[in-house]
Amino acid sequence: MSESGQQGVNHVPTETLHRFIHNRGRAYSHSSGELSELLSSIVVAVKIISSLVATAGFKGLTGYTDTVNVQGESVRKLDQEADRILTEFLGASGHFGLMVSEEQDTVIEAGRHSDSAKYVVAFDPLDGSSNIGTSIPVGTIFSIFARKQGSATSGEADFMQPGRQLVAAGYSVYGAKTSFVYSAGQGVHGFTLDPAIGEFVLTEEQIQTPRRGSVYSANEGRVNQWTPAVRNFLNELRSTGDESGTPYSTRYVGSLVADFDRNLRNGGVFLHPSDHKRKNGKLRLLYECIPLAFIAEQAGGMAIDDLAPILDKQPTSIHERTVFITGGRHEVEWYLKVHANS
């Protein structure tokens, strides 16, 4: 390239995710190196899943398997592959004893589990996989808890902890770019996969959700099945009022991580309420809503079920479902006000 062709290119130093995790690892209150290595194992698995998502169309991974998961949902081939990759990589890390996956009925014992392992991990290996075969983004969500003192190496007890006790959580989005967003309780940090070097590089440090946005994300095809409080809130969002900053625009992808990721950066509110069919909501508490609520609060936002903070909810089973409403403080507090008056 000529000298003139290089003009306007900013050569700025970058920090890789691997280096970032290990540099910050010294400050983790729970860590003596294991958490950093565990996060690094998740990052490697995410890179492999990203490659599979990008090539699923010509590798025959867009269809369904012959199995149905514990949720009663048909399992897609790519769901199964993503689950296998995370299970194998995390199971070989040696830093925790147990895993929970959306795609498996019971708690999974790690291949190299140890009675002295410090952590347990829960994950949704491929969120939004119904969109595979299109260009709509999908993603991976994970949460990491410290093991309970004296707990056994199998069973659900280690996972029955409220989100306030999370050690770390994060997600990746596979779309026009592959991103990785995580928090270990010291803010939210965003990374982008650079395919030229095969590494995630730091692109956003200390992400903060705008207090107030201008979009809402909801599947309005089910609006007639929602409670009066939810319908009243949507009506207020859609009303015209210069002082209230309305009407809001609708932005709904139908992939939880994609909708959440957009609103995390740009502001707004995401609503997945209960309906006549799903009295307790549809999204899973342990490995979808708790980790995203942790990220939301770390970035200055809020996440609730209908009234209570998601992070205060005590899971009672590994595949428990919940209502999930999250976004900037202005919108979530507005929802709570409408709910109280409905």
Side-chain angles (χ1 to χ4, degrees):
M1 182 181 292
S2 67
E3 183 177 346
S4 60
Q6 294 181 1
Q7 290 179 358
V9 177
N10 293 320
H11 297 283
V12 296
T14 58
E15 183 170 13
T16 66
L17 175 54
H18 178 79
R19 182 183 299 167
F20 186 93
I21 287 172
H22 282 273
N23 286 344
R24 299 306 188 279
R26 302 185 187 96
Y28 296 153
S29 60
H30 296 272
S31 179
S32 58
E34 290 98 327
L35 179 59
S36 296
E37 292 184 29
L38 179 53
L39 285 167
S40 295
S41 296
I42 294 173
V43 171
V44 174
V46 161
K47 290 180 186 178
I48 296 173
I49 295 170
S50 175
S51 178
L52 284 179
V53 170
T55 58
F58 53 82
K59 287 186 177 178
L61 294 174
T62 58
Y64 289 93
T65 66
D66 296 326
T67 59
V68 176
N69 65 18
V70 69
Q71 325 294 336
E73 302 162 344
S74 296
V75 178
R76 289 179 174 267
K77 294 177 182 178
L78 199 52
D79 279 319
Q80 193 172 68
E81 278 299 292
D83 180 71
R84 180 187 63 79
I85 289 164
L86 276 163
T87 300
E88 289 183 1
F89 268 85
L90 296 180
S93 73
H95 295 304
F96 66 101
L98 304 171
M99 293 175 278
V100 163
S101 167
E102 179 184 11
E103 300 304 326
Q104 301 204 36
D105 295 359
T106 59
V107 172
I108 313 155
E109 193 170 274
R112 291 181 56 201
H113 79 274
S114 166
D115 290 345
S116 62
K118 289 186 175 183
Y119 305 107
V120 295
V121 182
F123 54 84
D124 181 350
L126 200 63
D127 177 78
S129 59
S130 62
N131 292 313
I132 290 295
T134 73
S135 296
I136 293 175
V138 295
T140 297
I141 311 171
F142 68 90
S143 53
I144 301 172
F145 286 96
R147 290 185 62 205
K148 291 184 175 179
Q149 290 263 338
S151 63
T153 57
S154 62
E156 299 184 3
D158 278 322
F159 295 94
M160 300 301 102
Q161 303 183 53
R164 301 284 176 206
Q165 296 179 27
L166 269 177
V167 173
Y171 64 88
S172 191
V173 180
Y174 314 115
K177 64 177 182 178
T178 295
S179 61
F180 188 93
V181 177
Y182 92 102
S183 176
Q186 300 165 5
V188 179
H189 314 294
F191 302 79
T192 302
L193 183 62
D194 183 346
I197 62 173
E199 294 284 353
F200 282 98
V201 295
L202 179 65
T203 47
E204 298 151 299
E205 190 168 3
Q206 295 293 347
I207 297 171
Q208 284 291 302
T209 297
R211 178 176 176 82
R212 181 173 187 159
S214 60
V215 304
Y216 69 94
S217 309
N219 180 9
E220 292 186 81
R222 309 186 75 89
V223 67
N224 291 334
Q225 300 179 37
W226 291 342
T227 64
V230 176
R231 294 200 300 270
N232 290 343
F233 180 57
L234 288 183
N235 286 336
E236 290 199 14
L237 289 174
R238 293 186 301 234
S239 66
T240 301
D242 292 338
E243 292 185 3
S244 62
T246 54
Y248 276 45
S249 298
T250 307
R251 297 288 185 273
Y252 184 69
V253 176
S255 176
L256 171 61
V257 286
D259 282 310
F260 178 86
D261 186 69
R262 180 197 56 245
N263 290 9
L264 178 74
R265 291 172 167 81
N266 300 335
V269 61
F270 173 89
L271 302 102
H272 211 302
S274 62
D275 57 38
H276 296 166
K277 182 180 178 181
R278 305 181 183 99
K279 299 294 186 183
N280 296 320
K282 179 185 178 183
L283 300 179
R284 268 64 63 157
L285 175 62
L286 182 61
Y287 42 81
E288 290 181 323
C289 298
I290 281 180
L292 294 186
F294 184 75
I295 295 288
E297 289 204 9
Q298 282 289 313
M302 296 178 68
I304 61 174
D305 50 12
D306 241 345
L307 294 174
I310 288 289
L311 295 185
D312 290 339
K313 289 177 69 76
Q314 174 78 45
T316 58
S317 67
I318 59 175
H319 296 297
E320 180 179 350
R321 297 176 187 262
T322 185
V323 169
F324 189 52
I325 296 162
T326 184
R329 299 193 67 85
H330 172 77
E331 285 82 14
V332 177
E333 289 172 353
W334 186 0
Y335 171 82
L336 289 169
K337 181 179 178 180
V338 171
H339 191 285
N341 294 329
S342 296

